[in-house]
Amino acid sequence: MRTNPRMHRGGLSDEDNRAALRAYWKRNLHFTLVLLSIWFLAGYVVAILLAPTLSQVDFLGGPLGFWFAQNGAIYVFWLLIFVYAIGMNRIDREFDVEE
């Protein structure tokens, strides 16, 4: 298995470097899965499954379910992009693999 040369820290054994690399990818995958879960909830559960229930509430002159399906899910998606970029930069700094 090839490791990122920047993950190889002076004085650490190969086993320690592999453990650091595994920890990095575990954190990366966990963070990504959390954000994908939020995206699924906003884009499918709220925007599609709960749309009839939400449509009983007026929001900005129209049904909330329609507004969320047309706009809200997209806003959540854009927010998740920014959260992902900021979060991955923090994780990269923590594991010393920043660009």
Side-chain angles (χ1 to χ4, degrees):
M1 175 171 107
R2 263 184 98 202
T3 60
N4 184 345
R6 294 171 67 187
M7 287 290 290
H8 193 282
R9 298 178 183 156
L12 294 178
S13 69
D14 284 340
E15 183 64 32
D16 290 338
N17 287 324
R18 278 191 222 104
L21 186 61
R22 279 191 302 272
Y24 171 76
W25 281 109
K26 183 178 179 180
R27 177 79 60 85
N28 183 343
L29 288 174
H30 181 265
F31 182 61
T32 303
L33 287 174
V34 167
L35 294 180
L36 284 173
S37 298
I38 293 170
W39 187 26
F40 173 77
L41 289 172
Y44 184 72
V45 174
V46 176
I48 296 173
L49 297 179
L50 296 179
T53 305
L54 293 175
S55 291
Q56 296 173 4
V57 177
D58 281 340
F59 182 73
L60 297 176
L64 179 60
F66 177 77
W67 183 89
F68 196 83
Q70 296 300 311
N71 300 313
I74 294 170
Y75 293 150
V76 169
F77 176 70
W78 279 102
L79 179 66
L80 290 176
I81 290 172
F82 290 114
V83 169
Y84 178 80
I86 293 167
M88 283 308 300
N89 283 335
R90 287 182 182 165
I91 292 171
D92 287 350
R93 275 194 306 274
E94 179 182 339
F95 286 91
D96 198 25
V97 293
E98 61 200 326
E99 294 182 16

